[in-house]
Amino acid sequence: QALYVMNNQFVQKQANAFARRVLAARSDSKERVSRAFRLALSRAPSAKEIQRAEQFLSGYSQELRAAGVTEENLEVETWASYARVLLSANEFFYVD
């Protein structure tokens, strides 16, 4: 089910819009991660979550660059991928 959600066309479209919203609101990656957490999970991220997010974003950006993604699309595609991670997290679906 998790893979279905992550690969679903509707979720991909929403993740792309979510990424554009986060990118437009902030310029610093830590601030963007914080904004994304607040929007998706209604809470601030921990320092460890910010660190892991930045590692993910950096690594995924490198992979996209190696795959030939243009620089103009690189940032949006990287952040859309991270948005899909947040939107498919258990914490997004379930309230403890």
Side-chain angles (χ1 to χ4, degrees):
Q1 291 176 347
L3 289 176
Y4 174 78
V5 170
M6 287 187 81
N7 294 316
N8 182 278
Q9 188 175 10
F10 175 76
V11 174
Q12 290 181 4
K13 186 176 179 180
Q14 296 308 307
N16 192 288
F18 185 95
R20 290 179 187 280
R21 182 176 175 186
V22 169
L23 289 169
R26 304 285 189 263
S27 61
D28 177 73
S29 68
K30 287 180 178 146
E31 291 176 3
R32 287 175 174 169
V33 171
S34 293
R35 176 78 171 150
F37 261 75
R38 283 185 174 80
L39 289 171
L41 306 176
S42 298
R43 67 174 179 86
S46 69
K48 182 77 170 175
E49 288 169 326
I50 292 173
Q51 178 187 15
R52 286 193 305 215
E54 289 182 319
Q55 289 172 344
F56 172 84
L57 292 162
S58 175
Y60 196 74
S61 179
Q62 289 175 3
E63 288 181 25
L64 289 176
R65 195 175 274 120
V69 173
T70 63
E71 286 297 320
E72 70 181 51
N73 294 327
L74 186 66
E75 191 172 50
V76 172
E77 288 195 35
T78 299
W79 279 90
S81 177
Y82 185 65
R84 282 192 303 276
V85 169
L86 290 176
L87 296 176
S88 62
N90 279 345
E91 190 174 348
F92 181 77
F93 286 106
Y94 302 104
V95 178
D96 285 335

